[in-house]
Amino acid sequence: MRLKVICLVIGILSGLSACSTTEKSSSQPLVVQNKPQTQAPEVLDAEGLLNKARTKEGASRIQLLYSARESAITEQNWPILEQACLALERNESVDYVQNKLYIALARTEQNNYGTALNILKALTSRLSLPEHKAWHQYLMGRIYASQGMPKKALTYYFQAADISFADNISVANLNDEIWQALQQLSSYALERFDKGTVIQRGWIKLAKYQQIYIGSGVQLHQALNNWQRRFVNHPATYILPKKVQNSVSLAPYHAKRIAVLLPQSGSSKRLGSALKNGFLAAMDHSEIEEITFIDEQLGLEDIEKQLAAQPFDFIIGPLLKDNIEKVSTSSAIQSTPTLHLNNSDTANLSPEQYFFALNPEHEVEQAMVHFLAQQYQKPMLLAPDTLSGLRLVNHFKNQWQKYSLIEPEVGLYTDSKDMAKVVANLLEVDASKSRIKTVKSLFRKEVESETRSRMDIDVIYILGDAIETRLLKPYLDVNVSTFADRIPLYASSRSYSKRMDHTDKGDLEGLYFTEQPWMLNKSVDSFNLRTQYNQLWPEQADIEQRLFAMAFDAVQLIPELKQLSKIPGKAYSGLTGRLSIKDNNIVERRLEWAQYKQKQIQLVQLNEQQPTPLFMQNQNRFQDNLRD
């Protein structure tokens, strides 16, 4: 979460303000003398004040530490704020709760959320002043908001808002933080929050009106007028001009004439053809009147000439990442709203540059969230020993360690012959066989035996392609001990092949996987698109089918992009998944879950509750131990 300037000002330190003196005027005539000029008073920043305080003792030292503390907040110098507060802690005269709140603020701003949360929770029983209570709740909310937990954050923010309103206390940035958290919620979540105090209900109603009437100037204006009559003197009134009314400017893009950059030559020409089919199909279900296709493999000068040949309302593409970097300096691209069909590493692109990629990292995160919601402790990842396989494994591990101290087990295979060995080693079946062999050698009679696999692996995630998954599944089935519960098996969309599944589903019984709605025949449209597609292109490969869906969604997203980028809680249900925009104008996808069951593929709903960060888990366990 983007951290904001905070000015925590409570008039508790007024008695320690410096005394001022006034020099009396003199009636003596002015006598010009050769006296040395007096030096201007020394002006120190927060760090200078702190360093000077370290050279003083007693009241002078405390006075300078207070000054350093206030200057550090003004300067947003959070390390100096923390140091000044820690130095003040050694003086009994300092307001303990106030100073601790400052330390929690400093650590929150430095992303040291764990220790900040420890301080705030330890202060809970010592809060007495309304000012302290309001800021305590506000800082608690900020920590949860920083972890992508807006629902939890809002419970604290609304508490702070109620206290502030009742006691006429100003908590800087509270209204902005509430509004930002509300933007993360879906309409369903907002509906569930529509209860409680007048302050809470006022905020929720305002957020709902924005989602319903965004981009519709007249209707939004009428809804805001009704809201203001109903919620007189509500805190949100003061953010209406700069926040909600800006939504009027979020009128959708109305693209009549678009340019599409896609590969029409070279080794990626086949991918460009699949995209082109999707664009043409989507054109029949949009307001677009004309599409111009441009080969993204051309040089930048040739591309710019074609873009300058006629005015375009919108640009889609390029597909290849290198070509996005190539056209990033184009004046035509920079001045025209553009939806790129991949991600980019280029910084400082214009605000109307959007990025839509079939990003496998989104699937990995979705699976990880489910594993944590199911309280799986020790996942095992199986992936090819390739750059893409290693990238996805590392992405999973980096995300997992935010929520668990237990390292995932990882198995990397080089080819089909290597798979059986990797699986057996990871499940420690070879060790079990070795022990059986040793025992049998000690007896002359036949010894009944059964190999055992390790018992701590509680979920397996396959990141291989469709062929690899079909080879891995039998190895896993035969290497898991018959004494143990079956380990749940999951896979990404790479494991699914629409073409292969026409003849081969039995070997994957029980496997869960993520996939585009389009590939699962859940096309979420009323155009009978899948039937038409199968008639026109019955032999299309899986990658071509996915790119068709991507191109179709790219066109359908054009009128949605502005609102998706400004309201993170808003989503669009497309052929490629449930699409939303969280940060940096990057379109994120949430895919469908499906399972192989009785030689059929069935859509399933799996738990994807937002996980609790590790430092919050530790704090919750500590609090539980105190209660016990």
Side-chain angles (χ1 to χ4, degrees):
M1 186 190 82
R2 182 170 56 88
L3 299 176
K4 301 180 178 179
V5 180
I6 297 180
C7 187
L8 185 58
V9 179
I10 300 176
I12 222 166
L13 308 173
S14 57
L16 295 174
S17 61
C19 298
S20 61
T21 59
T22 305
E23 185 180 345
K24 295 182 180 179
S25 62
S26 173
S27 59
Q28 297 294 327
L30 179 63
V31 178
V32 178
Q33 297 179 349
N34 291 328
K35 293 184 177 180
Q37 293 183 346
T38 58
Q39 291 183 342
E42 185 180 18
V43 178
L44 298 175
D45 61 8
E47 186 174 6
L49 289 166
L50 178 61
N51 290 333
K52 188 173 182 179
R54 287 168 174 161
T55 68
K56 302 294 183 179
E57 298 292 339
S60 296
R61 181 176 183 275
I62 296 174
Q63 178 81 34
L64 286 166
L65 287 174
Y66 281 138
S67 298
R69 190 172 73 174
E70 299 303 324
S71 295
I73 294 172
T74 303
E75 298 167 14
Q76 303 176 57
N77 192 335
W78 310 119
I80 294 299
L81 173 61
E82 181 178 355
Q83 293 176 45
C85 292
L86 291 174
L88 279 167
E89 272 195 321
R90 294 190 283 270
N91 298 277
E92 294 182 1
S93 59
V94 174
D95 177 6
Y96 176 85
V97 174
Q98 174 64 39
N99 203 60
K100 282 293 188 183
L101 286 171
Y102 274 106
I103 296 174
L105 166 64
R107 292 183 178 176
T108 300
E109 292 290 349
Q110 295 174 89
N111 302 335
N112 193 350
Y113 301 115
T115 57
L117 187 63
N118 289 342
I119 292 171
L120 293 172
K121 290 198 171 183
L123 285 176
T124 303
S125 61
R126 304 188 63 164
L127 301 171
S128 56
L129 295 177
E131 293 92 337
H132 290 165
K133 292 179 180 178
W135 278 95
H136 179 273
Q137 294 296 291
Y138 168 67
L139 290 173
M140 287 286 290
R142 286 207 51 214
I143 291 172
Y144 280 97
S146 73
Q147 303 304 306
M149 304 173 73
K151 295 177 186 176
K152 187 72 173 178
L154 282 167
T155 61
Y156 292 104
Y157 284 156
F158 287 140
Q159 292 269 8
D162 288 337
I163 297 170
S164 301
F165 187 75
D167 292 277
N168 196 26
I169 299 166
S170 176
V171 178
N173 292 323
L174 174 59
N175 292 337
D176 287 334
E177 296 285 351
I178 290 175
W179 188 245
Q180 185 172 351
L182 288 170
Q183 304 307 289
Q184 313 294 319
L185 301 188
S186 65
S187 56
Y188 173 75
L190 286 174
E191 198 66 46
R192 299 193 66 180
F193 260 104
D194 197 359
K195 58 186 178 181
T197 65
V198 173
I199 298 299
Q200 177 170 332
R201 286 186 283 112
W203 278 111
I204 298 300
K205 297 289 187 191
L206 191 61
K208 288 167 66 176
Y209 287 156
Q210 188 212 31
Q211 282 203 7
I212 295 170
Y213 302 115
I214 188 170
S216 177
V218 175
Q219 291 177 299
L220 180 59
H221 184 71
Q222 291 174 346
L224 295 181
N225 286 338
N226 292 333
W227 182 90
Q228 287 178 301
R229 284 193 293 269
R230 182 174 178 184
F231 297 98
V232 179
N233 296 325
H234 192 281
T237 302
Y238 306 107
I239 73 161
L240 281 173
K242 65 176 181 177
K243 297 292 183 184
V244 183
Q245 291 181 351
N246 287 343
S247 300
V248 176
S249 64
L250 295 179
Y253 292 117
H254 294 289
K256 300 291 186 182
R257 180 179 296 164
I258 71 171
V260 175
L261 302 176
L262 76 176
Q264 293 183 298
S265 59
S267 59
S268 300
K269 181 179 179 180
R270 180 172 65 94
L271 306 182
S273 297
L275 288 169
K276 190 173 184 178
N277 293 336
F279 289 126
L280 294 174
M283 187 177 177
D284 294 336
H285 308 288
S286 70
E287 60 180 19
I288 295 171
E289 297 174 355
E290 181 180 335
I291 294 183
T292 298
F293 294 100
I294 300 172
D295 187 1
E296 67 177 71
Q297 303 287 49
L298 296 173
L300 179 58
E301 185 176 349
D302 291 332
I303 291 175
E304 286 200 299
K305 282 182 182 179
Q306 295 194 46
L307 290 174
Q310 56 180 309
F312 293 105
D313 304 317
F314 202 92
I315 298 172
I316 298 178
L319 170 70
L320 305 179
K321 196 169 185 177
D322 288 345
N323 289 333
I324 294 178
E325 311 305 322
K326 177 178 67 179
V327 304
S328 63
T329 58
S330 166
S331 58
I333 295 286
Q334 289 289 333
S335 61
T336 309
T338 303
L339 178 61
H340 301 286
L341 299 178
N342 210 323
N343 294 326
S344 171
D345 298 325
T346 302
N348 301 320
L349 292 175
S350 72
E352 293 189 300
Q353 303 290 297
Y354 305 90
F355 303 92
F356 176 32
L358 301 183
N359 194 338
E361 279 81 0
H362 295 161
E363 295 186 63
V364 168
E365 291 181 24
Q366 187 175 344
M368 183 206 68
V369 167
H370 171 64
F371 296 166
L372 291 165
Q374 292 298 104
Q375 299 184 347
Y376 293 136
Q377 300 294 313
K378 183 74 170 178
M380 185 172 82
L381 310 182
L382 293 172
D385 192 3
T386 61
L387 289 177
S388 61
L390 287 169
R391 188 184 81 244
L392 294 180
V393 165
N394 289 333
H395 186 73
F396 183 98
K397 291 173 65 177
N398 290 337
Q399 295 299 314
W400 180 266
Q401 70 182 8
K402 297 177 183 178
Y403 306 98
S404 176
L405 289 172
I406 302 174
E407 282 280 331
E409 199 73 50
V410 176
L412 300 173
Y413 51 83
T414 55
D415 52 38
S416 59
K417 296 178 181 178
D418 190 36
M419 289 179 183
K421 182 179 178 181
V422 168
V423 170
N425 286 340
L426 283 174
L427 293 175
E428 297 181 358
V429 174
D430 287 345
S432 176
K433 289 180 178 178
S434 178
R435 290 192 296 271
I436 291 171
K437 184 177 180 180
T438 301
V439 171
K440 284 185 175 181
S441 68
L442 300 176
F443 297 91
R444 294 180 178 178
K445 294 183 178 181
E446 183 68 24
V447 178
E448 292 187 9
S449 62
E450 184 77 39
T451 57
R452 293 178 181 266
S453 59
R454 59 191 292 184
M455 304 293 287
D456 59 332
I457 300 294
D458 52 7
V459 63
I460 296 174
Y461 189 33
I462 301 173
L463 291 166
D465 62 25
I467 295 174
E468 292 165 351
T469 302
R470 281 162 174 76
L471 292 173
L472 281 167
K473 176 68 163 54
Y475 292 143
L476 292 166
D477 288 340
V478 299
N479 280 288
V480 174
S481 171
T482 56
F483 299 102
D485 294 334
R486 306 304 296 175
I487 302 176
L489 299 181
Y490 293 81
S492 71
S493 62
R494 295 187 64 207
S495 72
Y496 177 70
S497 169
K498 196 171 185 65
R499 298 180 70 184
M500 291 178 66
D501 271 22
H502 283 305
T503 58
D504 183 14
K505 293 188 181 75
D507 288 342
L508 298 178
E509 179 69 19
L511 179 75
Y512 294 95
F513 65 100
T514 45
E515 183 55 279
Q516 295 182 10
W518 170 249
M519 298 297 287
L520 298 172
N521 293 335
K522 184 183 177 184
S523 57
V524 297
D525 67 88
S526 57
F527 310 136
N528 201 22
L529 196 59
R530 173 49 81 177
T531 301
Q532 297 175 23
Y533 182 92
N534 290 340
Q535 291 173 349
L536 292 170
W537 301 288
E539 299 299 323
Q540 290 275 282
D542 295 306
I543 181 61
E544 292 170 308
Q545 296 196 49
R546 292 189 172 99
L547 288 174
F548 174 92
M550 182 190 194
F552 192 95
D553 277 356
V555 173
Q556 300 299 311
L557 277 174
I558 292 175
E560 306 287 339
L561 285 170
K562 277 189 181 181
Q563 297 176 17
L564 290 173
S565 65
K566 299 300 181 183
I567 306 179
K570 188 176 176 64
Y572 171 80
S573 294
L575 303 186
T576 57
R578 187 166 175 80
L579 309 177
S580 60
I581 296 177
K582 298 294 189 298
D583 297 302
N584 302 320
N585 283 356
I586 296 174
V587 177
E588 295 187 9
R589 297 185 304 144
R590 183 188 173 279
L591 279 67
E592 295 287 341
W593 282 105
Q595 183 185 27
Y596 290 92
K597 193 170 184 179
Q598 298 177 350
K599 297 186 178 182
Q600 299 294 323
I601 294 176
Q602 298 182 8
L603 294 176
V604 292
Q605 294 291 328
L606 299 185
N607 186 3
E608 291 183 13
Q609 183 178 351
Q610 181 67 28
T612 302
L614 189 59
F615 72 87
M616 292 182 176
Q617 297 173 29
N618 295 338
Q619 181 62 34
N620 291 339
R621 283 194 289 268
F622 175 72
Q623 294 295 327
D624 291 340
N625 291 335
L626 288 180
R627 283 192 290 269
D628 293 341

